[in-house]
Amino acid sequence: MQHAGGWAHQAPPPGPPTGSGAPRPPRQGQPPVPGWTGPHQVPGPQHTPGPQHTPGQHQPPGQHQAPGPGHAPGPPPVPRPRGAPQQQAPVPPSVPPAGPPPPPDSTGHIRLPPGGPVPVPAPPPALGGGTGTATLAVLLIGPAGAGKTTVARHWAMNRRVPTAHISLDDVREWVRSGFADPQSGWNDHSEAQYRLARRTCGFAARNFLANGISCILDDAVFPDRPVVGLGGWKRHVGPGLLPVVLLPGLEIVLERNAERTGNRRLSDEEVAGIHGRMAGWYGSGLPIIDNSKYDVETTARILDDVLARALASPPSW
């Protein structure tokens, strides 16, 4: 059955229409002629052309639009074998790949120490000018109230090379809950926390020294307690550790202890007992500084001169 506008629901008649009044098929590159019913055009005046195809858009299979003026036709599509899986574009990873892992003996750009003991430092080029630019590991020993923490901090701050100060009391007080205060009695818990703090200080000292930074540690080391005394510091730091004893008179120690607050302040009996035990360092071969009449700056300068002589002739301990 035929409508006025052309064929409907049937395939187009075979062959082009004949006759002088029949419309001619459009040539390639020209607009379609009215009335022409081609294989890819819906006949009749009711036809509304769809949106024009723009490059990059997908067209249904079987419909190809002729290229317009000035448009160079692209290469013909490569036929895909029957049953072959359709290739998909690779999806970029959402997370960028991580870089190479750091070496096992480093954290960032700071190299960790190899774990060996600190060797004996080389002596300064000339005496009389203090330790100069030598890289040192110093242990400042003294009773409570001797001023060792203040002197150690001042000495570290006024050197011409990078120097760190590590205080054992500060490290011990990192333990907040369950802190074993030696003032309450020396027991297994207080000794275990003391050992742990000393190992932590020793590792920190080796870490600084391995990166070219001197360090000074301060602790109330007793000559009659070898278990938690000087031998422990030597094991954790190394033979390059230079010990110096800061021992003022008893009256000076009692006066300075009275100015303390909190758990840093001891009773007069405890201060006197500690000071008496520290007297055992006399005759040990370690250098001893009596800073009873010296201020902090003068004591720090004397400490630097004592360390310079210890570099030239290390004490045997």
Side-chain angles (χ1 to χ4, degrees), residues 272-287:
I274 294 174
H275 187 273
R277 293 171 63 184
M278 288 288 176
W281 288 117
Y282 285 101
S284 64
L286 298 184

Side-chain angles (χ1 to χ4, degrees), residues 59-301:
Q59 292 184 358
Q63 296 185 4
H64 303 285
Q65 185 177 6
H71 177 73
V78 179
R80 181 168 55 92
R82 183 183 301 273
Q86 185 177 2
Q87 297 182 357
Q88 299 181 357
V91 180
S94 56
V95 180
D105 60 343
S106 67
T107 55
H109 65 284
I110 301 298
R111 298 188 63 83
L112 296 179
V118 177
V120 178
L127 296 177
T131 57
T133 59
T135 302
L136 307 177
V138 182
L139 176 63
L140 191 59
I141 303 171
K148 57 183 179 297
T149 301
T150 305
V151 173
R153 183 183 299 114
H154 185 86
W155 180 79
M157 291 178 59
N158 291 274
R159 295 201 72 208
R160 291 177 290 175
V161 293
T163 306
H165 170 226
I166 305 173
S167 176
L168 178 75
D169 288 339
D170 293 342
V171 176
R172 285 195 308 110
E173 292 177 358
W174 287 356
V175 180
R176 295 299 180 179
S177 178
F179 174 71
D181 193 347
Q183 298 183 36
S184 303
W186 188 264
N187 50 38
D188 294 340
H189 295 288
S190 57
E191 183 170 340
Q193 291 186 8
Y194 180 89
R195 292 172 181 268
L196 178 61
R198 186 178 56 198
R199 288 197 300 268
T200 304
C201 293
F203 175 81
R206 296 199 312 270
N207 195 9
F208 282 120
L209 293 166
N211 290 277
I213 300 178
S214 300
C215 64
I216 180 171
L217 308 102
D218 64 83
D219 182 24
V221 180
F222 297 106
D224 56 350
R225 291 295 303 272
V227 177
V228 290
L230 197 58
W233 281 113
K234 185 176 182 180
R235 289 193 306 269
H236 290 295
V237 180
L241 184 65
L242 299 176
V244 177
V245 181
L246 196 64
L247 189 58
L250 177 59
E251 65 280 359
I252 301 298
V253 172
L254 290 173
E255 180 182 348
R256 293 174 179 173
N257 177 73
E259 299 174 356
R260 293 184 169 185
T261 58
N263 62 353
R264 297 291 181 94
R265 181 174 180 176
L266 307 178
S267 64
D268 292 347
E269 292 78 10
E270 290 176 317
V271 172
I274 294 174
H275 187 273
R277 293 171 63 184
M278 288 288 176
W281 288 117
Y282 285 101
S284 64
L286 298 184
I288 298 177
I289 301 175
D290 183 357
N291 60 330
S292 300
K293 300 180 180 180
Y294 303 142
D295 57 7
V296 175
E297 183 178 359
T298 303
T299 306
R301 186 171 63 252

